[in-house]
Amino acid sequence: MSAVIKTIEKQLNKINHEIEHEEQSRQYTLDELKWNESRLKSLKEQRDELTTFLAENDPPRPEQ
């Protein structure tokens, strides 16, 4: 019976390690997603500011 318990304990430790790894990986992915969302928001704001500036300060050009 002792061998069975040791085998189960090893399997349990392996599973716990895999769970920990997956949780860390998930957290990394969530952190990366937050950073990407922030960067995307910033880029869109910059685009909007530049587009507005051009619309207000660049006279329309006749098409050729």
Side-chain angles (χ1 to χ4, degrees), residues 40-51:
L40 179 59
K41 181 181 176 186
S42 175
L43 289 170
K44 286 181 176 181
E45 288 171 355
Q46 290 176 34
R47 178 195 61 195
D48 293 346
E49 289 171 5
L50 292 172
T51 300

Side-chain angles (χ1 to χ4, degrees), residues 22-34:
E22 291 302 322
E23 287 174 342
Q24 288 173 352
S25 177
R26 178 181 175 272
Q27 187 59 51
Y28 173 81
T29 301
L30 289 172
D31 291 344
E32 187 176 29
L33 179 59
K34 286 178 190 175

Side-chain angles (χ1 to χ4, degrees), residues 2-3 5 7-11 15-16 19 21-23 28 35-36 40 44-45 47 49 52 54 58-61:
S2 177
I5 291 176
T7 301
I8 292 171
E9 287 175 340
K10 284 182 181 179
Q11 187 175 6
I15 290 171
N16 282 334
I19 288 171
H21 174 76
E22 291 302 322
E23 287 174 342
Y28 173 81
W35 185 88
N36 288 348
L40 179 59
K44 286 181 176 181
E45 288 171 355
R47 178 195 61 195
E49 289 171 5
T52 300
L54 283 177
D58 191 23
R61 298 182 190 117

